[in-house]
Structures are given as C-alpha cells and as structure tokens.
Amino acid sequence: MITKNQSCFLNQRAPIKFYIVSFLVEFKPYQFRRMSKITNYDEASKSHDFVKEHDDTYIIKSMMEHFTGKNLKDMDIVDVGCGTGSNSKYFLDFEPHSLTLIDGSESMLSKAKEKLQPSASSTEISFQQTVLPDIPYDESSFDAALINLVLHHLEENPDGKSFPIIIQTLKEVYRILKPGGVLTIISITPEQLDANWFSHILPKNTQRWHKRLLSFEQLKSCLSEAKFVVKSAYNSLNALHSDPEGPLSESWRKNLAFYDTCTEEEIRDMINIVSRMKNEGNLEDFYVKHEKIDIFGTINICAAKKEI
C-alpha cells in the first residue's frame, strides 16, 4: 500500500513537485491491462479535453463540504479515474490539503500533470497509475473521493444485472475514505442515454450500453453493498452533445465513448442516415423529436457517505 506521505510532499507555498507512481498491473502479451473496457484512453487523451467541460464540478465541491463538514482546503481528496485532471484542476483553485489523481492511462496522467502545474501552491499533489478496482492506498487516507463517468468503463462482460468490478471498486473507495468521508459519483443512467437524440440512430449499440449503465436504483444497491449511505442525488441538465450534425465528424465521435462500441458497419450506416436526413432537411426535426435531456438530464450526480 502507498501512503500520501510516500507519494508526494512539499513545503508550504513552495513550487509543486509531481510524482507519477506506476502500480504493478497484470501483463498480457502485446498490451497492458486497461481500466476502460471500451476506450483506449492513451489514444483518446490526444483530444479528450476538446469537449470535456466540467460545469457541474462546483456541485461536487458543495457536496463534499456539506457532507464532511469540512472546507475543501482542509481535505485530502482522491480523484478516481481522473482522466486529464479537469475536475482536480478546479479543486486545486481552493488549495485542498492534498489532491491525489489516479487513472489507468499513463497518457491521461501525463496530461493531468501538465494541467495541474501552477507556480506555487500549498496543496500536496500526487499521481498514481493503477487499474481499478485496485486502489493501492492505506485505509482511512482521504476525506473525499470523486468518480466521474468511470463506472460504465469497468465491467469486462456487462449484462446489465450484476456489476462485480463496480462493487469491488466502491468497496475499495470505502476502505480508503476516512470515517465520515464522502464519495461523489457522476454517472449516466440508461434513461439518460436514451434522452440523447443520437442514441436513437444506433439502437443496437444503445442496447449494448444499457448493459453497461446502472440505473439509479442499481447504483444505490451497489453503494449499499459497499456499506455507503446515499445522502443526495440530482440530475444535471447540462447538454454537451447537442449538435445534430456532430455524428458526421470523426473528431466529434472520438470524444464520445458511446461510439467506441460500434462496428464499422454501424458507423457507416449511421453516417448515411444522418447525411440523408440532413440533405432532406429533416435532421433538425429528428433531433427535436428524440432529444429529451430537459426531462431526464444528461448525468446523475450522487453523494454517498462512509458513516462514522
């Protein structure tokens, strides 16, 4: 196990020193075990920040402070599946006591390291490469944890009914949180996927994703099995993918994990369908008919607590 003191420490107001620690992972011929069973994030890191805006992070901050009873500046925070560190960059502005970023992708962590380089800060920052559900930190190390749009990447063979890797990940987060600590989760429900207009162009792929995505009731059940107590939840209406012509762009598709599970034939058929609707002048009508974000929201934000 790794303690925060082993991974990073620095003097008050001194320039930040960064350490990336590689946790030993199972080696498979020709490739390392990846955390995401959908997306190659070493490749996706090249364009990930192009669409990844985190307008709801202030809600995460409020949940962390409210349910721990602490100010962010007094917290030890872990960003589980941090990606390129956009959420942690927001937290850093409030100078928490420590900030730990973990991810399975070395390239994502390198991007995060570049992003979190202010000239001076009192925050201790460390980076850890590991594949969930492994979280190699001591028990009761952190006040708060964030899991942002990660859970649907974890299951090897999802069936929509059982989520063993997700449950084990939640149990690990519970273990490393201090008593009274809070886990915040950003996730997408099957209903919210269906509320995105583009899901109706690729019905077979949408069904695949229904097996990956937890309903809110399933999420609560998984949290309960990990001994968490759900304290609050709400749906965000922040729409990120509202361009009806977006699916025609490869760069647009690359920034949506939804398309990573499509076959090449499905992508070709989808492009033909969208192009035909565009040429016939009814693409906007299709969008308006199927876009239901204002009813179901785009994401669910949940706070769960490790009770004392």
Side-chain angles (χ1 to χ4, degrees):
M1 292 297 174
I2 297 171
T3 66
K4 296 188 297 300
N5 288 335
Q6 289 174 322
S7 51
C8 179
F9 62 90
L10 68 164
N11 294 327
Q12 185 81 2
R13 308 304 291 179
I16 287 178
K17 296 179 181 179
F18 295 87
Y19 297 85
I20 297 183
V21 184
S22 293
F23 183 66
L24 184 63
V25 297
E26 172 190 354
F27 180 75
K28 294 184 178 181
Y30 308 109
Q31 66 176 13
F32 286 101
R33 185 164 59 102
R34 290 180 180 145
M35 188 163 74
S36 174
K37 306 307 184 291
I38 303 170
T39 303
N40 180 350
Y41 274 110
D42 285 329
E43 180 66 26
S45 66
K46 298 174 184 178
S47 60
H48 193 68
D49 279 345
F50 181 74
V51 298
K52 293 294 180 183
E53 300 294 339
H54 295 276
D55 294 339
D56 293 305
T57 311
Y58 74 98
I59 298 294
I60 296 296
K61 173 180 178 290
S62 297
M63 286 178 163
M64 288 178 173
E65 291 182 325
H66 179 74
F67 292 113
T68 62
K70 296 183 178 182
N71 291 323
L72 207 70
K73 65 182 180 64
D74 298 319
M75 291 189 202
D76 298 308
I77 300 173
V78 59
D79 190 346
V80 180
C82 64
T84 61
S86 295
N87 288 299
S88 287
K89 174 64 174 175
Y90 176 85
F91 295 144
L92 188 60
D93 291 340
F94 301 91
E95 297 199 343
H97 178 259
S98 73
L99 193 53
T100 300
L101 292 80
I102 67 175
D103 202 275
S105 166
E106 182 179 357
S107 297
M108 285 291 195
L109 286 172
S110 295
K111 285 262 191 177
K113 180 182 176 182
E114 294 174 3
K115 187 176 295 182
L116 273 69
Q117 283 188 332
S119 58
S121 173
S122 61
T123 299
E124 299 174 7
I125 301 182
S126 62
F127 299 84
Q128 173 69 31
Q129 185 179 3
T130 188
V131 175
L132 297 176
D134 300 323
I135 306 180
Y137 286 89
D138 289 340
E139 292 183 12
S140 303
S141 293
F142 302 97
D143 298 287
L146 166 64
I147 299 178
N148 175 38
L149 297 178
V150 171
L151 297 181
H152 56 261
H153 288 276
L154 300 183
E155 298 297 339
E156 187 78 46
N157 298 299
D159 60 8
K161 298 177 181 178
S162 62
F163 303 93
I165 304 302
I166 290 174
I167 291 172
Q168 186 57 41
T169 297
L170 296 176
K171 288 181 177 179
E172 275 290 274
V173 175
Y174 184 91
R175 181 184 63 80
I176 65 172
L177 281 178
K178 301 172 186 178
V182 170
L183 166 62
T184 53
I185 298 175
I186 300 177
S187 62
I188 303 172
T189 67
E191 294 80 10
Q192 287 170 329
L193 174 62
D194 291 345
N196 284 279
W197 67 276
F198 55 80
S199 69
H200 297 271
I201 307 174
L202 291 157
K204 290 183 179 179
N205 194 46
T206 297
Q207 289 302 312
R208 294 183 195 113
W209 273 79
H210 280 188
K211 295 180 180 180
R212 288 198 166 276
L213 299 175
L214 291 84
S215 68
F216 184 59
E217 290 301 317
Q218 288 174 320
L219 177 60
K220 287 195 297 182
S221 176
C222 291
L223 285 166
S224 177
E225 187 165 344
K227 299 183 179 180
F228 280 104
V229 176
V230 175
K231 307 299 289 187
S232 180
Y234 92 105
N235 293 331
S236 171
L237 300 180
N238 182 27
L240 293 176
H241 311 295
S242 56
D243 180 7
E245 296 183 25
L248 299 176
S249 167
E250 183 178 2
S251 62
W252 192 89
R253 296 194 304 272
K254 281 184 176 180
N255 285 286
L256 275 173
F258 175 77
Y259 291 100
D260 292 337
T261 52
C262 289
T263 66
E264 292 183 3
E265 182 180 3
E266 286 171 340
I267 293 293
R268 288 195 299 269
D269 289 346
M270 179 273 299
I271 291 174
N272 289 334
I273 291 170
V274 174
S275 297
R276 184 178 69 251
M277 288 193 293
K278 177 184 175 182
N279 294 333
E280 293 174 354
N282 53 26
L283 178 58
E284 185 68 25
D285 292 338
F286 182 91
Y287 169 84
V288 170
K289 177 181 178 180
H290 293 286
E291 183 76 354
K292 304 297 181 183
I293 293 303
D294 58 333
I295 299 174
F296 296 98
T298 54
I299 56 175
N300 177 268
I301 302 179
C302 172
K305 189 170 183 177
K306 179 178 180 177
E307 297 285 17
I308 297 174

